[in-house]
Amino acid sequence: MIHKIKSMYDNGQGLSIRAISRELNISRNTMKKYLAMDAQGICVMMEDTSREKWLDGYRDYLINQLKDYPKLSAVKLMRRLCRKVGKLPISERSMRRYVQNLKAEVAVGQYRYYEPIIETVPGVQCQVDPGELRGVLINGKPHTVYFVAFVLSYSRLMYVGLSLQP
C-alpha cells in the first residue's frame, strides 16, 4: 500500500495528496506520514505485524463474559470492564469493533440444531411460513410480494406460493 502511494505521488510529479487520499480512502495525515518515510522505515513497519490492542489484556475476561452471556452487548461489556478496571482509554466505537471481531472468532451463542422427524407419516405434517418482500421491481415499479412457504416434515420438500395481494 505504501509503495502504491509513493508511486501515485511520484515526488510531487503525480497526483496530489488530497487526490490520492480520496482515491484510496485514507486520511491525508496518514498519507503525509507514509510519504515522509524512507524505504528502510517502510520495511521495518511492514515486518512488525505484532500490533497489540489495548483490550488484548482483557481478552480472556471478555471471552468468559460472552460465554456466560452470549447476548451481552458491547456497551454493557464496556460498563462491566469499567467497573472492574476503572476509566478506559478507548472509545465506545473501538469497544464495539473489538467485541464484534471477538464474537466472530469465538462464535458464542447457540447453534441451530436440526433433526429430521422420522415418526411422522409422509404427507401428514408440514411447516408453514408466511412472509413478504418489499420493493421488488415488476415492470420497473416497486411492489410488495407476499409469499407462503410450505415444507413437508417427512421429505423436506418445499412449495412456495406467491401473490401481489396479502
Side-chain angles (χ1 to χ4, degrees):
M1 175 66 95
I2 297 171
H3 297 294
K4 184 176 183 179
I5 291 169
K6 286 196 178 261
S7 67
M8 291 173 80
Y9 186 66
D10 193 27
N11 293 326
Q13 303 299 318
L15 296 174
S16 67
I17 292 175
R18 182 173 282 173
I20 297 170
S21 67
R22 229 183 278 128
E23 186 170 324
L24 298 178
N25 200 17
I26 299 173
S27 85
R28 289 186 309 217
N29 292 335
T30 305
M31 294 284 303
K32 290 175 187 174
K33 179 181 84 172
Y34 288 162
L35 290 172
M37 294 175 87
D38 60 339
Q40 186 178 6
I42 293 170
C43 291
V44 169
M45 189 180 102
M46 293 183 87
E47 286 175 4
D48 184 25
T49 59
S50 63
R51 191 171 157 192
E52 190 171 313
K53 298 177 180 167
W54 189 87
L55 286 169
D56 284 343
Y58 302 99
R59 181 183 173 89
D60 293 335
Y61 172 76
L62 294 173
I63 288 173
N64 286 333
Q65 289 293 309
L66 286 173
K67 284 184 178 176
D68 291 343
Y69 309 100
K71 300 282 184 184
L72 204 59
S73 70
V75 175
K76 290 184 181 177
L77 270 172
M78 188 169 184
R79 285 184 198 147
R80 288 181 181 208
L81 193 58
C82 281
R83 273 187 251 134
K84 181 180 178 180
V85 179
K87 186 165 171 51
L88 301 177
I90 58 166
S91 67
E92 189 177 302
R93 180 68 187 134
S94 297
M95 181 69 164
R96 274 192 257 138
R97 277 192 299 259
Y98 190 83
V99 169
Q100 181 182 14
N101 291 333
L102 199 61
K103 282 183 177 181
E105 286 177 27
V106 177
V108 295
Q110 186 178 10
Y111 292 102
R112 186 172 179 178
Y113 178 72
Y114 166 74
E115 185 176 312
I117 301 171
I118 298 174
E119 38 309 315
T120 62
V121 180
V124 173
Q125 188 180 33
C126 75
Q127 176 183 349
V128 180
D129 292 318
E132 63 184 52
L133 289 171
R134 297 181 181 164
V136 176
L137 294 177
I138 300 174
N139 292 332
K141 295 181 181 177
H143 290 280
T144 301
V145 177
Y146 300 92
F147 64 89
V148 63
F150 297 91
V151 180
L152 296 176
S153 297
Y154 185 81
S155 64
R156 306 304 291 172
L157 286 175
M158 180 187 286
Y159 169 78
V160 179
L162 300 171
S163 176
L164 292 176
Q165 297 161 354

PDB file of all heavy atoms in Angstrom, residues 6 30-39 42:
ATOM      1  N   LYS A   6       3.409   5.969  -2.859  1.00  0.00           N
ATOM      2  CA  LYS A   6       4.610   6.661  -3.339  1.00  0.00           C
ATOM      3  C   LYS A   6       4.651   6.712  -4.867  1.00  0.00           C
ATOM      4  O   LYS A   6       5.064   7.707  -5.452  1.00  0.00           O
ATOM      5  CB  LYS A   6       5.858   5.992  -2.786  1.00  0.00           C
ATOM      6  CG  LYS A   6       6.072   6.289  -1.308  1.00  0.00           C
ATOM      7  CD  LYS A   6       7.468   5.957  -0.902  1.00  0.00           C
ATOM      8  CE  LYS A   6       7.701   6.296   0.543  1.00  0.00           C
ATOM      9  NZ  LYS A   6       8.364   7.548   0.746  1.00  0.00           N
ATOM     10  N   THR A  30      -2.275  10.472   7.289  1.00  0.00           N
ATOM     11  CA  THR A  30      -1.627   9.167   7.083  1.00  0.00           C
ATOM     12  C   THR A  30      -0.822   9.193   5.799  1.00  0.00           C
ATOM     13  O   THR A  30       0.290   8.652   5.742  1.00  0.00           O
ATOM     14  CB  THR A  30      -2.694   8.049   7.018  1.00  0.00           C
ATOM     15  OG1 THR A  30      -3.496   8.111   8.194  1.00  0.00           O
ATOM     16  CG2 THR A  30      -2.054   6.687   6.930  1.00  0.00           C
ATOM     17  N   MET A  31      -1.351   9.832   4.782  1.00  0.00           N
ATOM     18  CA  MET A  31      -0.634   9.950   3.504  1.00  0.00           C
ATOM     19  C   MET A  31       0.702  10.678   3.707  1.00  0.00           C
ATOM     20  O   MET A  31       1.733  10.242   3.215  1.00  0.00           O
ATOM     21  CB  MET A  31      -1.464  10.740   2.494  1.00  0.00           C
ATOM     22  CG  MET A  31      -2.724  10.090   2.063  1.00  0.00           C
ATOM     23  SD  MET A  31      -2.417   8.801   0.913  1.00  0.00           S
ATOM     24  CE  MET A  31      -1.568   9.689  -0.327  1.00  0.00           C
ATOM     25  N   LYS A  32       0.665  11.784   4.450  1.00  0.00           N
ATOM     26  CA  LYS A  32       1.881  12.555   4.699  1.00  0.00           C
ATOM     27  C   LYS A  32       2.899  11.728   5.481  1.00  0.00           C
ATOM     28  O   LYS A  32       4.098  11.800   5.218  1.00  0.00           O
ATOM     29  CB  LYS A  32       1.545  13.837   5.450  1.00  0.00           C
ATOM     30  CG  LYS A  32       0.785  14.838   4.606  1.00  0.00           C
ATOM     31  CD  LYS A  32       0.363  16.042   5.428  1.00  0.00           C
ATOM     32  CE  LYS A  32      -0.536  16.958   4.627  1.00  0.00           C
ATOM     33  NZ  LYS A  32      -1.083  18.059   5.436  1.00  0.00           N
ATOM     34  N   LYS A  33       2.412  10.951   6.443  1.00  0.00           N
ATOM     35  CA  LYS A  33       3.310  10.101   7.234  1.00  0.00           C
ATOM     36  C   LYS A  33       3.993   9.072   6.346  1.00  0.00           C
ATOM     37  O   LYS A  33       5.203   8.857   6.420  1.00  0.00           O
ATOM     38  CB  LYS A  33       2.515   9.403   8.344  1.00  0.00           C
ATOM     39  CG  LYS A  33       3.347   8.461   9.213  1.00  0.00           C
ATOM     40  CD  LYS A  33       2.514   7.789  10.274  1.00  0.00           C
ATOM     41  CE  LYS A  33       1.859   6.582   9.681  1.00  0.00           C
ATOM     42  NZ  LYS A  33       1.179   5.744  10.660  1.00  0.00           N
ATOM     43  N   TYR A  34       3.219   8.439   5.448  1.00  0.00           N
ATOM     44  CA  TYR A  34       3.791   7.428   4.556  1.00  0.00           C
ATOM     45  C   TYR A  34       4.780   8.044   3.565  1.00  0.00           C
ATOM     46  O   TYR A  34       5.803   7.457   3.252  1.00  0.00           O
ATOM     47  CB  TYR A  34       2.693   6.695   3.798  1.00  0.00           C
ATOM     48  CG  TYR A  34       1.872   5.749   4.650  1.00  0.00           C
ATOM     49  CD1 TYR A  34       0.631   5.309   4.214  1.00  0.00           C
ATOM     50  CD2 TYR A  34       2.326   5.285   5.871  1.00  0.00           C
ATOM     51  CE1 TYR A  34      -0.122   4.436   4.972  1.00  0.00           C
ATOM     52  CE2 TYR A  34       1.573   4.428   6.646  1.00  0.00           C
ATOM     53  CZ  TYR A  34       0.355   4.003   6.189  1.00  0.00           C
ATOM     54  OH  TYR A  34      -0.378   3.142   6.947  1.00  0.00           O
ATOM     55  N   LEU A  35       4.457   9.216   3.055  1.00  0.00           N
ATOM     56  CA  LEU A  35       5.347   9.866   2.089  1.00  0.00           C
ATOM     57  C   LEU A  35       6.647  10.333   2.730  1.00  0.00           C
ATOM     58  O   LEU A  35       7.680  10.415   2.061  1.00  0.00           O
ATOM     59  CB  LEU A  35       4.633  11.043   1.415  1.00  0.00           C
ATOM     60  CG  LEU A  35       3.509  10.649   0.449  1.00  0.00           C
ATOM     61  CD1 LEU A  35       2.747  11.872  -0.001  1.00  0.00           C
ATOM     62  CD2 LEU A  35       4.063   9.891  -0.742  1.00  0.00           C
ATOM     63  N   ALA A  36       6.620  10.626   4.022  1.00  0.00           N
ATOM     64  CA  ALA A  36       7.835  11.071   4.714  1.00  0.00           C
ATOM     65  C   ALA A  36       8.763   9.910   5.065  1.00  0.00           C
ATOM     66  O   ALA A  36       9.938  10.120   5.347  1.00  0.00           O
ATOM     67  CB  ALA A  36       7.452  11.822   5.981  1.00  0.00           C
ATOM     68  N   MET A  37       8.252   8.681   5.031  1.00  0.00           N
ATOM     69  CA  MET A  37       9.069   7.520   5.394  1.00  0.00           C
ATOM     70  C   MET A  37      10.020   7.154   4.262  1.00  0.00           C
ATOM     71  O   MET A  37       9.678   7.290   3.084  1.00  0.00           O
ATOM     72  CB  MET A  37       8.171   6.313   5.702  1.00  0.00           C
ATOM     73  CG  MET A  37       7.315   6.477   6.935  1.00  0.00           C
ATOM     74  SD  MET A  37       6.192   5.106   7.146  1.00  0.00           S
ATOM     75  CE  MET A  37       7.224   4.002   8.049  1.00  0.00           C
ATOM     76  N   ASP A  38      11.191   6.650   4.643  1.00  0.00           N
ATOM     77  CA  ASP A  38      12.114   6.144   3.632  1.00  0.00           C
ATOM     78  C   ASP A  38      11.879   4.646   3.455  1.00  0.00           C
ATOM     79  O   ASP A  38      11.081   4.038   4.162  1.00  0.00           O
ATOM     80  CB  ASP A  38      13.565   6.440   4.023  1.00  0.00           C
ATOM     81  CG  ASP A  38      13.941   5.794   5.346  1.00  0.00           C
ATOM     82  OD1 ASP A  38      13.033   5.474   6.130  1.00  0.00           O
ATOM     83  OD2 ASP A  38      15.150   5.600   5.573  1.00  0.00           O
ATOM     84  N   ALA A  39      12.579   4.020   2.518  1.00  0.00           N
ATOM     85  CA  ALA A  39      12.363   2.609   2.200  1.00  0.00           C
ATOM     86  C   ALA A  39      12.665   1.703   3.385  1.00  0.00           C
ATOM     87  O   ALA A  39      11.959   0.719   3.627  1.00  0.00           O
ATOM     88  CB  ALA A  39      13.226   2.204   0.999  1.00  0.00           C
ATOM     89  N   ILE A  42       9.827   1.858   5.906  1.00  0.00           N
ATOM     90  CA  ILE A  42       8.667   1.123   5.400  1.00  0.00           C
ATOM     91  C   ILE A  42       8.845  -0.368   5.642  1.00  0.00           C
ATOM     92  O   ILE A  42       7.924  -1.056   6.091  1.00  0.00           O
ATOM     93  CB  ILE A  42       8.456   1.419   3.902  1.00  0.00           C
ATOM     94  CG1 ILE A  42       8.040   2.879   3.704  1.00  0.00           C
ATOM     95  CG2 ILE A  42       7.411   0.497   3.309  1.00  0.00           C
ATOM     96  CD1 ILE A  42       8.043   3.330   2.273  1.00  0.00           C
TER      97      ILE A  42
END
